Amino acid sequence: MRDTRAELLMQAETLVRGRGFAGFSYADLAAAVGIRKASIHHHFPTKVDLGAALVAAYAARYAAALEAIHRDVPDGPGRIEAYGRLYLGGVEQGLGCLCAALAIEGEALPERLRRDIAAFFADHLAWLETVLRAGQADGSVRGADPAALARYVVATLEGALLMERLFASPDAFRGTLAVLVDGLRPQ
C-alpha cells in the first residue's frame, strides 16, 4: 500500500533541498508524487505545516544518526568525521542541507519554521560542543572554546556542502572534511 504522506515528505524534502522553500509549490509537489493538489492539503493543510513536518522528520533522522555516532565512534575527531560524512550524501545528490536551505530564506519564512530550524541547529551545536569538550578532556581535540569550535564545524561543513553543490565534487568535500578534522587534533 502506498504511504502518500511519506512520499510527500520525501519529494518535498528533495524540492526544498534543491530549490528552497519558496522555490516550489503544491502543484510541483503534486506533479512529483502523481496526485492532485487537494490530496496534499489532506495531509498538510498549509505549506507551513508541510515545512514543519519536513524539519521534524529531518531532525529525527539526524538525532538517530548522532546517537549512533556517539555510541559507535570512540573519539572526538572520529565523531566529527562521522558527522561530516552525514553531509556527504547531499553532496553526492547535488542537494543542500534541508535546514540550511530553509535558513537561507531567513525572514521570508514563517516564524514557526524559523524556530524549528533554529532548534535543529541548536541541537547540533550542543551535540558538537559535547563531543568537542569530551575530546578535549581525553586529549584528542585541541584546546579551544568548544562552543566556538562547534560553530566552526557547522559553518565549515555547510559552506563546503554549498560549494560542492555547485561544483559537484564529493572528493573536494572529503578533502575539506579531512582538513577540518586534522585541524581539530592537537598540534
Side-chain angles (χ1 to χ4, degrees), residues 110-132:
E111 178 61 29
R112 177 179 175 190
L113 290 183
R114 288 196 311 271
R115 279 193 315 267
D116 291 349
I117 296 160
F120 173 86
F121 282 114
D123 289 346
H124 283 242
L125 291 170
W127 184 86
L128 287 163
E129 188 174 341
T130 298
V131 165
L132 294 163

Side-chain angles (χ1 to χ4, degrees), residues 1 7 11 22 26 33 39 42 45 67 76 82 85-86 91 94 111 115 137 140 143-144 147 158 160 167 169 187:
M1 178 162 188
E7 194 172 344
Q11 292 298 329
Y26 271 20
V33 176
S39 298
H42 170 73
E67 185 178 309
R85 284 194 308 266
L86 296 175
V91 173
E111 178 61 29
R115 279 193 315 267
S140 64
E158 290 290 353
F167 294 116
S169 179
Q187 302 304 323

Side-chain angles (χ1 to χ4, degrees), residues 2 16 19 34 55 61 69 93 101 104 111 137 152 164:
R2 182 179 189 184
V16 172
R19 300 182 189 177
V55 173
R61 286 198 320 268
I69 290 169
Q93 297 169 18
I104 287 169
E111 178 61 29
Y152 172 73
E164 299 319 327

